[in-house]
Amino acid sequence: MKASTFRALQVKSRLDTSNPTPLYKQLRSLIRQAIETGAFKVEDALPSERDIAAELEVSRVTVRKAVQDLVKDGLLVQKHGAGTFVAARLEQPLSKLTSFTEDISARGMQSSVIWIERTIGLATPEEAMALNLSPGAGVSRLHRIRCADNKALAIEQASIPQIFLPDPLAVEDSLYRILDKTGLRPQRALQRLRAELMQPEHSELLGMPPGGAALYIERRSFLPDMRPIEFTRSHYRGDSYDFIAELHLDNQKRND
Ligand code: 16G
């Protein structure tokens, strides 16, 4: 990307010195908009700080502060010696029942796990309800940070009936790999998504500023005989992950 891209987007004329909002914040939101609307493409290199400052007739400090904030928010990445780039977003089709490990490796990236907890406990009322267990039944709990190429993307808390996963320590990286091995791979899942603000304890674990956008996802998955096998609650960084749903016109309408 050249500094002239900023001209094409009329960034300079949209910066308003009479506005009480500091210039770096105005510039930050204009760059954010350009990324979110696709005007700045994923993995595009940003022009140098000096070129942007010259093009927009603002100080280099203004450009630096705007860029640094967007790096902190995960929209831009700085590669040592190479410059600043628009960060890649990961896309997951909502209709495929895949695992995190599979999703990430399908994109040519390396997935990894930072374990917070792997324990056995008695089902809470919420877990018992979600997993169709009697109160007090045993559950294996996996609490972990999920990373792609060492960048923390989500915090995940999975509960699996203990009868299906007697030893949570058996899961070294992929839960679905272990379930596959024991013939217990889920076949169907229900997912509920909602937007949330990143909670302070999560933002710290994901290395992003508190109060940023996050996506909460709950997955309940089932074995072919409909017994629930998994109840997982995930908090994804809102700035790095897109969930894509493919929609079809229903047959009734198609025949109208
Ligand atoms: C995904 C699933 C999660 C599942 C995990 C298994 C979503 C929102 N969640 O993260 O429910 O437990 O994959 O991944 O997609 P693994 O086999 O890599 O542990």
Side-chain angles (χ1 to χ4, degrees):
M1 177 200 312
K2 298 209 174 71
S4 56
T5 312
F6 282 74
R7 200 173 314 147
L9 294 170
Q10 297 178 322
V11 174
K12 187 174 158 197
S13 59
R14 292 162 74 194
L15 290 173
D16 179 2
T17 41
S18 62
N19 186 320
T21 307
L23 268 186
Y24 86 90
K25 286 196 181 166
Q26 295 183 38
L27 178 57
R28 184 180 68 191
S29 63
L30 291 171
I31 299 179
R32 179 185 287 275
Q33 237 178 53
I35 295 172
E36 287 171 353
T37 55
F40 288 0
K41 305 260 175 310
V42 161
E43 282 166 16
D44 264 6
L46 227 62
S48 71
E49 196 178 282
R50 189 186 327 124
D51 287 354
I52 301 177
E55 169 67 35
L56 303 178
E57 293 175 23
V58 297
S59 76
R60 285 175 65 168
V61 177
T62 299
V63 177
R64 189 171 315 143
K65 280 170 90 175
V67 168
Q68 275 170 356
D69 277 4
L70 293 165
V71 168
K72 258 191 247 148
D73 289 351
L75 272 92
L76 295 174
V77 277
Q78 268 165 339
K79 297 188 185 160
H80 200 68
T84 306
F85 298 81
V86 177
R89 294 178 70 86
L90 293 166
E91 292 184 351
Q92 189 203 114
L94 271 172
S95 52
K96 296 230 167 73
L97 184 45
T98 48
S99 75
F100 186 90
T101 309
E102 291 162 348
D103 287 338
I104 299 303
S105 62
R107 282 159 188 79
M109 300 170 90
Q110 186 72 39
S111 77
S112 56
V113 168
I114 301 170
W115 285 104
I116 301 172
E117 201 181 28
R118 265 176 297 183
T119 51
I120 290 175
L122 301 181
T124 61
E126 191 195 15
E127 287 169 327
M129 178 104 85
L131 293 168
N132 224 354
L133 295 171
S134 10
V139 286
S140 285
R141 297 196 182 103
L142 309 169
H143 190 188
R144 53 194 167 149
I145 304 175
R146 315 288 328 239
C147 312
D149 281 351
N150 290 323
K151 178 178 174 187
L153 285 186
I155 299 165
E156 223 165 54
Q157 230 166 333
S159 309
I160 296 92
Q162 201 189 343
I163 42 159
F164 296 137
L165 182 68
D167 179 12
L169 294 177
V171 183
E172 283 171 15
D173 42 23
S174 168
L175 166 65
Y176 280 17
R177 193 176 304 137
I178 294 292
L179 295 178
D180 232 347
K181 268 195 199 157
T182 46
L184 294 168
R185 170 97 190 202
Q187 202 192 50
R188 179 181 161 259
L190 289 176
Q191 231 167 242
R192 178 193 295 271
L193 289 83
R194 67 169 175 261
E196 65 173 16
L197 294 180
M198 190 60 77
Q199 295 157 28
E201 69 268 29
H202 293 152
S203 56
E204 201 171 308
L205 293 170
L206 293 174
M208 60 185 295
L215 196 59
Y216 172 73
I217 307 178
E218 234 175 61
R219 182 184 283 189
R220 280 178 72 208
S221 40
F222 303 86
L223 295 171
D225 64 8
M226 290 303 147
R227 279 180 301 169
I229 172 96
E230 167 198 15
F231 174 46
T232 299
R233 288 127 292 163
S234 314
H235 304 267
Y236 278 79
R237 295 178 67 117
D239 57 14
S240 334
Y241 220 92
D242 289 349
F243 287 83
I244 309 291
E246 188 179 312
L247 310 175
H248 296 273
L249 187 64
D250 71 22
N251 283 336
Q252 180 60 45
K253 288 254 172 7
R254 203 176 302 163
N255 297 331
D256 283 349

